[in-house]
């Protein structure tokens, strides 16, 4: 969708430390003042790293006629643009979900999975990533959403079992949701081990 954009300027946001995919959150702000001066700023929210640029109204600007033409074209192709936006959001959503599942399985959750469950999750995530690499640029919104549902049908029951197993283990922390599945150990609050006043109290000692 950027192929029709007119380049007004650019800047780099440097100094962001390596993070797992999907973790960095970059907030971009556009502000146009009464004089037509455009201020663009970007900040990485976890580190506070920030950079900005000011675009004045005196160079590389489109004429009024060019702007009017582009506005008319944008209105004419609005439906196509919205459909493409929805498709891109579905692609990004699937990609983020797959990497969140992968990070979860590679992290603490992996320790509560059986070898067969972990192999099953690794396989379905790997296959979905390969499919996304081959079809992500052309697949429809519906196909991308169907692929995510297909992965969730395999992953969610496995992570639900892992969540339940983790809740029964001494010292296990509850309440962490499985990616995309909505499963949480909060639903086990009625089990005997979670009722206040019943059973032994375990205190951690450093």
């Amino acid at each position: 969708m950027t192929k029709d954009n007119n380049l007004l300027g650019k800047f780099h946001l440097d100094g962001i430390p390596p993070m797992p995919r999907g973790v960095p959150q970059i907030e971009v702000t556009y502000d146009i003042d009464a004089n037509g001066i455009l201020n663009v700023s970007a900040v990485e929210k976890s580190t506070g790293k920030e950079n900005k640029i000011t675009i004045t109204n005196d160079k590389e600007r489109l004429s009024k006629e060019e702007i009017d033409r582009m506005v008319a074209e944008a209105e004419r192709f609005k439906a196509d643009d919205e459909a493409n936006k929805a498709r891109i959001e579905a692609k990004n959503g699937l990609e983020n979900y797959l990497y969140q599942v992968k990070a979860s399985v590679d992290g603490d959750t992996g320790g509560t999975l059986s070898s067969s469950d972990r192999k099953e999750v690794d396989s379905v995530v790997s296959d979905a990533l390969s499919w996304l690499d081959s079809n992500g640029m052309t697949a429809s919104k519906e196909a991308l959403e169907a692929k995510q549902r297909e992965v969730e049908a395999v992953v969610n029951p496995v992570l639900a079992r892992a969540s339940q197993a983790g809740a029964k283990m001494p010292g296990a922390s509850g309440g962490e949701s499985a990616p995309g599945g909505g499963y949480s150990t909060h639903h086990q609050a009625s089990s005997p081990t979670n009722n206040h006043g019943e059973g032994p109290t375990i205190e951690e000692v450093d």
Side-chain angles (χ1 to χ4, degrees):
M1 296 176 69
T2 60
K3 61 185 178 65
D4 297 319
N5 289 355
N6 182 53
L7 178 64
L8 299 177
K10 57 185 178 180
F11 64 90
H12 296 277
L13 189 60
D14 300 317
I16 300 175
M19 301 181 193
R21 188 165 185 160
V23 171
Q25 296 185 42
I26 299 177
E27 184 176 83
V28 181
T29 302
Y30 300 87
D31 178 64
I32 302 177
D33 67 16
N35 297 315
I37 296 176
L38 172 65
N39 295 287
V40 183
S41 63
V43 58
E44 201 291 305
K45 298 175 75 172
S46 66
T47 62
K49 294 289 185 180
E50 183 177 10
N51 203 352
K52 58 187 176 181
I53 188 173
T54 298
I55 309 296
T56 59
N57 197 22
D58 57 359
K59 61 179 180 179
E60 297 185 18
R61 298 302 296 269
L62 300 173
S63 66
K64 183 179 184 304
E65 291 74 18
E66 289 174 316
I67 293 174
D68 290 342
R69 175 182 58 79
M70 293 178 71
V71 168
E73 289 178 352
E75 188 63 32
R76 189 163 65 250
F77 296 111
K78 181 178 180 180
D80 290 340
D81 288 343
E82 289 180 348
N84 194 34
K85 177 185 177 184
R87 191 194 68 78
I88 292 171
E89 288 176 346
K91 174 182 177 293
N92 291 342
L94 172 59
E95 186 175 42
N96 288 339
Y97 171 74
L98 292 173
Y99 278 103
Q100 286 172 8
V101 171
K102 190 174 186 301
S104 180
V105 171
D106 290 342
D108 293 341
T109 301
T112 65
L113 297 178
S114 67
S115 58
S116 60
D117 278 348
R118 175 152 191 169
K119 184 176 180 180
E120 185 177 23
V121 172
D122 285 342
S123 177
V124 73
V125 169
S126 178
D127 289 347
L129 286 171
S130 296
W131 180 89
L132 194 58
D133 285 340
S134 300
N135 302 282
M137 299 303 295
T138 57
S140 66
K141 170 180 175 287
E142 291 73 21
L144 291 159
E145 291 176 342
K147 176 59 67 173
Q148 180 161 337
R149 289 193 297 270
E150 177 185 320
V151 176
E152 288 174 343
V154 175
V155 170
N156 287 354
V158 172
L159 294 186
R161 289 195 295 272
S163 178
Q164 292 168 354
K168 296 175 184 177
M169 294 172 61
S173 60
E176 182 177 354
S177 298
Y183 293 101
S184 170
T185 55
H186 287 309
H187 71 283
Q188 298 179 11
S190 60
S191 66
T193 56
N194 287 333
N195 287 341
H196 294 296
E198 295 186 20
T201 301
I202 301 174
E203 298 182 357
E204 295 182 2
V205 179
D206 294 331

